[in-house]
Amino acid sequence: MCNDNNYNIAVVLSPPAFVSGASGSGCSFIHEIRKDEDIYSPILRKLFNESHHIFVGLQTIREDLPSKRDVNAQLVRKNPHSVFYSDIHFITLFSGTILTLICFLLKVSILLAIELIWNLCEVLFIDAAPAGSLLLHLLDWVRLHKADVDEKAREVLQSESPAEHRDYWDVVVSYVLQGRLEEVRQMLVKQANLQPAARSIRPVLTHTSEFSVMFPQPGGTQTLTEFDVKWRHWHEEVDRCLQDNSFASNRHLELICKILLGDEDTLLDHKELLGTWYHFLVTRLLFCHPTVKLTELHYYAQSCMTMFLDSRSVPEPLDNILLAAFEFDIHQVIKECSIALNNWWFVAHLTDLLDHCKLLQSHNLHFGSNLREFLLLEYASGLFTHHSLWQLAVDYFDHCPEFGRVYLELQIERVPLETERKALKVLRVCEQRQMSEQVRSICKIMAMRALRNNRLGSALSWSIRAKDAAFATLISERFLQDYCAKGTFSDLDLIDNLGPAMLLSDRLTFLGKYREFHKLYGEKRFREAAKLLLSLMTAKIAPQSFWMTLLTDALPLLEQKEVSHQQQVQFWTKLV
């Protein structure tokens, strides 16, 4: 598989063994390769940072906690909704200055679609609610992503005469389609107050009230069988009212009654209010099959999508993803998301969550690690191309036990080291993980750069950190050459505080000790200075080009009374 840090492959999760039509003569597919621009968006950086915090928190959960599935889900679901909407709000604030209007709308629509998928996966895969409660979760899901009716309702209610507003009945029908029957009753009461003689409204108020309290609530004592008996009785009563023409005088109430009965033609006549096939699905289930089970969803989902969409239209990528989710095909959801979305952010985090919930445990890839690790590695590799987000990528690699270390070692070497501050950050990452080879490589690069810029102190410091004896020797000789040319040392603070590091090479040892000789001489501790100078001459660790300098340094010591006769004889011997 082609992999470049700066680009993403448009069609992914398609290794040669999985591509249909692949043969020995070559693959007939052309894969579009494009730059991942989202990584470089300053607007989306907030999303990447916040999801990183959630990811790290998830990894720290102890494996021995009871009800691990619930704990994992609870932790990850604390924040995603606020993460999505805070990021959308952030985009809105800057849409006029940073993004063009088209780019702004595109990013918002993608984020909303991602949240739609995320929330559905929570309902179906993580919550896995039983029949009855399942439909309540699906209703919440639809309401969360179909909030335009509330805005229209506020506009209607704030008017002088809500019941006569042109959008009044659209709001009522929209509430019915979402199963928000308490709001329906409140809206119909306004109509009843306006037209006291409209007695046909009362049966609708009664039926909507009965339906609202009928559903089994989580933690309640009502069984599914009891609910089914009540629902069937309620359904027969509504049907009887319709057959008796109780609503013949008001076509809007008759329409509501047909919707309550789940009439498919009536529902399909209101595609504009439903908006999407999955809204149609949930509404149909609510009024026709309220006790639907998870294992039955795929049948209704497929049929609803077929009925709702035009026969000539092709399903959008989002439709395929949601359909795969309703079919409880987790791997198909991940594959479709990988194909449709332009980066790995969503699929990597979704897969990690599902893996922690033990929903992907049995799925391993024959061309690498498991699916979770494969996607995390690709996502983190993309982050490493960014000048600051690479620091987030390190944590993702740390939690990929099979190949994370290898990827980190390869990627860390590609981080551009524009400044010493950034180099120190990279170095700290490597040192914390005992990546000794990368530590040496970074230090050598920085030492060579400092040497080219004639910053000998910085170069020596980096070479010592790299424990590179050869390079430390080279820089030490440069220090000695500068001393011979100028008569003084640069970077005295570094040389004076070499400590045990001077033992890295003979030349560095000589540099440190020779500087120590100058300090002793400057402090007029001539006896100690003479002893040290003699040891440097005897050890023969000085470069030959520096011998004349040492002998020159010895001459003033011969005139000092503190220097012993034996030391003077030794100096004369060296001079001769």
Side-chain angles (χ1 to χ4, degrees), residues 106-307:
L106 179 61
K107 289 187 183 298
V108 169
S109 63
I110 291 175
L111 286 173
L112 291 175
I114 287 175
E115 193 194 17
L116 180 74
I117 300 166
W118 183 284
N119 293 149
L120 182 61
C121 290
E122 285 182 335
V123 171
L124 300 181
F125 304 149
I126 299 173
D127 292 333
S133 297
L134 171 62
L135 194 52
L136 294 176
H137 287 292
L138 290 175
L139 284 170
D140 289 338
W141 173 65
V142 165
R143 293 166 187 169
L144 179 64
H145 298 282
K146 184 68 173 172
D148 56 337
V149 63
D150 292 314
E151 297 178 8
K152 191 179 291 186
R154 279 192 293 271
E155 182 182 338
V156 170
L157 294 174
Q158 289 171 2
S159 64
E160 293 182 1
S161 180
E164 294 180 347
H165 194 281
R166 58 187 176 85
D167 291 329
Y168 171 79
W169 286 108
D170 279 351
V171 170
V172 173
V173 173
S174 296
Y175 276 146
V176 175
L177 293 173
Q178 289 190 12
R180 299 169 65 173
L181 301 184
E182 183 57 36
E183 287 90 336
V184 172
R185 292 182 67 255
Q186 293 173 7
M187 296 292 289
L188 289 178
V189 165
K190 296 184 181 297
Q191 178 75 8
N193 293 337
L194 183 67
Q195 301 176 0
R199 297 182 179 180
S200 58
I201 293 180
R202 295 175 184 174
V204 176
L205 293 175
T206 301
H207 294 320
T208 54
S209 178
E210 290 175 351
F211 191 83
S212 298
V213 300
M214 193 186 310
F215 263 87
Q217 299 299 317
T221 57
Q222 181 179 223
T223 65
L224 202 60
T225 303
E226 292 172 340
F227 164 73
D228 190 59
V229 171
K230 291 180 182 179
W231 178 81
R232 291 182 184 279
H233 175 72
W234 172 87
H235 195 273
E236 291 172 359
E237 285 295 313
V238 176
D239 187 50
R240 181 184 59 78
C241 290
L242 185 64
Q243 298 302 326
D244 291 347
N245 295 320
S246 301
F247 311 112
S249 61
N250 191 321
R251 63 183 179 86
H252 296 295
L253 297 180
E254 188 176 31
L255 171 65
I256 292 174
C257 189
K258 289 181 179 180
I259 294 176
L260 292 176
L261 290 173
D263 183 74
E264 290 180 0
D265 292 334
T266 302
L267 293 176
L268 291 173
D269 286 341
H270 293 80
K271 286 185 179 181
E272 185 176 348
L273 295 179
L274 287 167
T276 60
W277 66 267
Y278 45 88
H279 188 181
F280 169 56
L281 164 67
V282 176
T283 301
R284 183 186 174 201
L285 292 175
L286 175 64
F287 296 120
C288 297
H289 311 283
T291 59
V292 65
K293 300 177 182 177
L294 271 174
T295 54
E296 300 169 343
L297 277 178
H298 67 93
Y299 167 76
Y300 296 111
Q302 181 65 66
S303 62
C304 285
M305 188 173 77
T306 302
M307 285 189 289

Side-chain angles (χ1 to χ4, degrees), residues 502-513:
M502 71 171 63
L503 301 177
L504 181 61
S505 74
D506 288 347
R507 199 69 80 240
L508 183 59
T509 302
F510 174 77
L511 175 65
K513 290 297 181 181

Side-chain angles (χ1 to χ4, degrees), residues 414-432:
R414 302 178 186 177
V415 177
L417 307 174
E418 299 97 344
T419 63
E420 287 205 3
R421 181 180 179 183
K422 188 171 183 179
L424 289 171
K425 287 183 179 180
V426 177
L427 195 64
R428 193 177 304 113
V429 169
C430 296
E431 289 176 340
Q432 289 172 350

Side-chain angles (χ1 to χ4, degrees), residues 241-381:
C241 290
L242 185 64
Q243 298 302 326
D244 291 347
N245 295 320
S246 301
F247 311 112
S249 61
N250 191 321
R251 63 183 179 86
H252 296 295
L253 297 180
E254 188 176 31
L255 171 65
I256 292 174
C257 189
K258 289 181 179 180
I259 294 176
L260 292 176
L261 290 173
D263 183 74
E264 290 180 0
D265 292 334
T266 302
L267 293 176
L268 291 173
D269 286 341
H270 293 80
K271 286 185 179 181
E272 185 176 348
L273 295 179
L274 287 167
T276 60
W277 66 267
Y278 45 88
H279 188 181
F280 169 56
L281 164 67
V282 176
T283 301
R284 183 186 174 201
L285 292 175
L286 175 64
F287 296 120
C288 297
H289 311 283
T291 59
V292 65
K293 300 177 182 177
L294 271 174
T295 54
E296 300 169 343
L297 277 178
H298 67 93
Y299 167 76
Y300 296 111
Q302 181 65 66
S303 62
C304 285
M305 188 173 77
T306 302
M307 285 189 289
F308 192 88
L309 298 180
D310 188 279
S311 58
R312 293 169 293 180
S313 64
V314 178
E316 296 290 332
L318 178 60
D319 298 325
N320 294 328
I321 294 170
L322 296 178
L323 183 60
F326 282 119
E327 292 173 348
F328 217 80
D329 191 342
I330 295 175
H331 301 111
Q332 188 64 25
V333 170
I334 295 171
K335 180 177 179 180
E336 293 288 347
C337 288
S338 300
I339 295 172
L341 301 176
N342 58 351
N343 64 62
W344 300 94
W345 169 78
F346 175 67
V347 290
H349 290 91
L350 175 63
T351 305
D352 178 65
L353 169 62
L354 296 177
D355 184 77
H356 276 80
C357 293
K358 306 301 181 184
L359 295 173
L360 292 173
Q361 193 173 18
S362 61
H363 190 77
N364 292 315
L365 305 179
H366 72 272
F367 53 86
S369 58
N370 58 42
L371 184 59
R372 169 192 173 273
E373 182 163 319
F374 171 77
L375 294 173
L376 287 176
L377 290 173
E378 292 300 316
Y379 172 63
S381 297

Side-chain angles (χ1 to χ4, degrees), residues 382-569:
L383 290 179
F384 247 98
T385 66
H386 192 272
H387 63 88
S388 63
L389 293 178
W390 67 269
Q391 298 174 83
L392 306 182
V394 173
D395 287 327
Y396 289 97
F397 284 141
D398 283 343
H399 292 97
C400 294
E402 193 165 349
F403 294 116
R405 171 81 178 206
V406 176
Y407 268 66
L408 179 57
E409 290 175 352
L410 293 173
Q411 295 289 350
I412 204 77
E413 294 179 350
R414 302 178 186 177
V415 177
L417 307 174
E418 299 97 344
T419 63
E420 287 205 3
R421 181 180 179 183
K422 188 171 183 179
L424 289 171
K425 287 183 179 180
V426 177
L427 195 64
R428 193 177 304 113
V429 169
C430 296
E431 289 176 340
Q432 289 172 350
R433 291 157 182 79
Q434 290 81 47
M435 297 164 59
S436 54
E437 184 177 342
Q438 284 70 29
V439 169
R440 285 194 297 271
S441 175
I442 293 168
C443 292
K444 286 180 181 179
I445 292 172
M446 297 306 295
M448 184 64 72
R449 183 180 300 174
L451 184 60
R452 284 198 298 265
N453 295 327
N454 204 32
R455 295 168 53 234
L456 297 182
S458 178
L460 181 59
S461 177
W462 282 109
S463 63
I464 291 173
R465 198 160 187 172
K467 296 181 174 58
D468 189 336
F471 205 72
T473 298
L474 174 65
I475 298 173
S476 299
E477 289 182 348
R478 283 286 300 272
F479 267 104
L480 295 173
Q481 290 170 10
D482 277 11
Y483 173 78
C484 292
K486 301 175 182 177
T488 57
F489 282 112
S490 60
D491 300 287
L492 289 179
D493 287 343
L494 174 64
I495 300 175
D496 288 342
N497 295 283
L498 285 175
M502 71 171 63
L503 301 177
L504 181 61
S505 74
D506 288 347
R507 199 69 80 240
L508 183 59
T509 302
F510 174 77
L511 175 65
K513 290 297 181 181
Y514 185 65
R515 167 58 188 160
E516 187 177 334
F517 158 74
H518 273 271
K519 289 175 65 177
L520 293 173
Y521 189 89
E523 295 170 359
K524 297 183 179 182
R525 297 161 62 183
F526 300 120
R527 181 185 294 275
E528 297 174 49
K531 182 179 180 181
L532 179 55
L533 185 60
L534 280 171
S535 66
L536 291 177
M537 290 179 172
T538 307
K540 298 182 179 181
I541 58 176
Q544 289 185 351
S545 60
F546 208 77
W547 267 90
M548 187 58 65
T549 302
L550 293 178
L551 294 175
T552 304
D553 289 332
L555 291 176
L557 292 173
L558 295 175
E559 301 174 0
Q560 303 299 328
K561 296 179 181 180
E562 289 87 348
V563 179
S564 66
H565 176 72
Q566 182 180 1
Q567 288 176 326
Q568 292 181 357
V569 170

Side-chain angles (χ1 to χ4, degrees), residues 86-106:
S86 63
D87 198 65
I88 291 171
H89 176 65
F90 195 57
I91 293 175
T92 305
L93 291 178
F94 286 87
S95 61
T97 56
I98 299 179
L99 301 172
T100 64
L101 181 60
I102 295 176
C103 184
F104 157 68
L105 293 175
L106 179 61

